Structures are given as C-alpha cells and as structure tokens.
Amino acid sequence: MASIFLKPNHPPHYIEATEAYRIAPDTDSPIKLRIASGGAGQSGLIRTFAEGFIKHHVKTTGAAPFAIAWMASDTTMSFNSLALKAVDISITYHPVAEKTAIQQGIADRREYIWQDHWMLVGPKSNPANLSTTGSASIYDLFTQLFRACIETQNAKTPIRFLSRYDKSAANIKESYLWTAIGQTPWSYPHSSWYHTYVDFPFRALEVAALLGEYSLVDKGTWWSVEPWIREKLMIFKLGGDDEDDPLLNPAHALVSSKSDNKELAHEFVDWLTSEDGGQEVARTFIKNGVVLYSAAPPRKGLLSNSKL
C-alpha cells in the first residue's frame, strides 16, 4: 500500500480532531501532537496513552501541560494523513505498507507498540454451521462460510458476511483471507452475500449484530462495544500472539517526516516503547473486565529510514 505523494512545500492539511486529551485541571492548553488511529481511539487506548505521556512529560521536564488530539482514521487514511502533513503520528497495522511509508519519505520512524488480534464472529444461531471447537483454521472457516453463503444466496434468509469495505485494516485483512481461499466476492459480478457497509468498527459490528451477519473484527473493538452487541454474536476464531498467526494484528507507530513537533513526537514514541510507559499501558488496558491487547514483542532495534 502506497500513500498519496508527499508534497514538501504544500501547507499542512487540516483535519478536525475527534477528541483532544488533557490532564486535569488543564482545560485549554494547545494541541501539540496529532495522532491518527481507528479502533484504538474508539476503545480509549489512545486517550490512556495520551494522558499518561502528558503526565510523564510534565513531571520529568517541568514543561507546561499540553493537549494531544486523536483524529479518527482507518489505516489507509492514516498513511495519507502523514503525506498531507495533517498528523504527527499515525497508528497503522500493515507492516509492508509501513516500510513503504519509510521508503517514500512520509515517515522517518516506525515502532512496534502493541498487539491486537482479529476474530471471526457471527450470529449465535450459526446458520453457516461453522466449527466451534477452535481447532479449524481461519482458512477452513472462511471456506465453510463461503460455501454456506453460496448455497443460501437465493434463500429467503441468506447467510451473509459484512465487510467494512473502506480500506481499513479490517477490510485489508478480510480481503487477504478471502483471496487466500481463492475468492474475491467484491469483484464483478458482485456477490450478493458480501454485504459492504462503510463505517468505523463500532457501528459496523453493531450492524452485523442487528442483521445476524458474520464479520471480521478486532478484539479491542469486540470488548469495547455495548454488551447487547456481543450478546447477539459469538466468536468462532481468535488470533494469538504468534507472529505467524494470520489473525495477529500488530500496531505500529509511524512518525511523520514533516511533523511540526518532531522532537515531542519522537519523545512520545520513546515513551510508548518503554516498559514502564506505553508497554505497561498496553498490557494492562482493560475493558469490561478483559485485557484487550498484548505488549509489543521484544524490540529488535530502532527502525528508521536507514533501517527497515
């Protein structure tokens, strides 16, 4: 995945902040960092990172408090926001595209921050009769689901799969899984059972629950939505921390090469990778009694434009 071209002399593109995070009693300090992220913003992880770093920076440097803004974004938008100089840091989930961003010069640092995990979910009635033992591979499950969707596509209540179809990390991953079993349901002629619903993770999962459809979602989103949504659905497969697991969802921070606050951006990423800073937040972040994420694996060294 390549971003749009970097325009060095083009003024920064303005994107309105979805939320701005400050530490009490501060209420009006300036925004000094802008972070593009999707589901991790909706789950509250970006807020926790931001507030933790601001406290750390103020305590260790004696500087005045400041704000960090979250820009709601999907993975593709996050890459483009770097190229447009609209954000200082993007959180992305596509290792090859991230290395491309370094090569293109839109980012000059990439760090592994935490691990999320994909899961295949669907209605508790399980009309596709997918295996629930946990032993079937994700490829076997997608094959079973494909056959069930084809067999019922003309039925009164067809079995369907909901895709966010928005170039998000979830859309890219489920597209990979479909093509891995030799199917491209979005291609012409479009498969009627492939329901394209363009929205952010929370709303997309809500619609899947309401319509009784299967879908791919990240663990952070699953445990952050309203309980009634999970009550209508069940998990058929959940990824683990093995780097070869196709359902591992590795989150990296990319620092913009054109950030107006590059020193602070790098300091933030340093804190994110520190064991008593961001890594402690990642491994202990809880929603509804469940730890949502895993810390990043042991670092193999700094990744920058001179080392991919």
Side-chain angles (χ1 to χ4, degrees), residues 1 5 13 25 41 61-62 64 89 95 100 137 141 157-158 165-166 171 177 189 204 208 220 232-233 255 271-272 307:
M1 179 197 303
F5 285 110
H13 182 74
T61 69
I89 298 168
T100 299
S137 73
L141 292 172
T157 55
Y165 202 63
D166 58 356
N171 182 208
L177 293 171
K232 288 181 175 292
L233 300 168
V255 178
W271 181 84
L272 287 175
K307 184 176 182 181

Side-chain angles (χ1 to χ4, degrees), residues 246-268:
L247 295 182
L248 176 64
N249 188 24
H252 290 82
L254 293 178
V255 178
S256 169
S257 61
K258 301 299 179 182
S259 169
D260 290 334
N261 292 287
K262 186 174 290 190
E263 183 177 349
L264 188 62
H266 280 289
E267 184 183 341
F268 180 44

Side-chain angles (χ1 to χ4, degrees), residues 8 26 45 50 96 137-138 172-173 177 184 205 208 214 241 265-266 287 293 300-301 305:
D26 173 30
L45 181 64
V96 173
S137 73
I138 189 61
I172 292 168
K173 175 57 69 172
L177 293 171
T184 56
L205 187 60
Y214 293 85
D241 286 343
H266 280 289
K287 275 292 185 75
Y293 309 105
K300 298 178 180 179
N305 56 4

Side-chain angles (χ1 to χ4, degrees), residues 48-49 52-53 56 267-274 277-279 281:
T48 306
F49 279 147
F53 173 67
H56 165 80
E267 184 183 341
F268 180 44
V269 174
D270 288 343
W271 181 84
L272 287 175
T273 60
S274 66
Q279 294 305 289
V281 171

Side-chain angles (χ1 to χ4, degrees), residues 16 68 143 170 182 204 228:
E16 185 174 355
I68 295 178
T143 299
W228 70 264

Side-chain angles (χ1 to χ4, degrees), residues 16 19 81-82 101 106-107 117 158 197 254:
E16 185 174 355
E19 293 179 355
S81 293
L82 289 172
I106 70 169
H117 309 84
Y197 186 84
L254 293 178

Side-chain angles (χ1 to χ4, degrees), residues 174-197:
E174 54 99 348
S175 297
Y176 160 78
L177 293 171
W178 286 122
T179 56
I181 66 166
Q183 302 300 327
T184 56
W186 53 86
S187 300
Y188 180 84
H190 179 82
S191 300
S192 60
W193 53 266
Y194 188 73
H195 177 197
T196 56
Y197 186 84

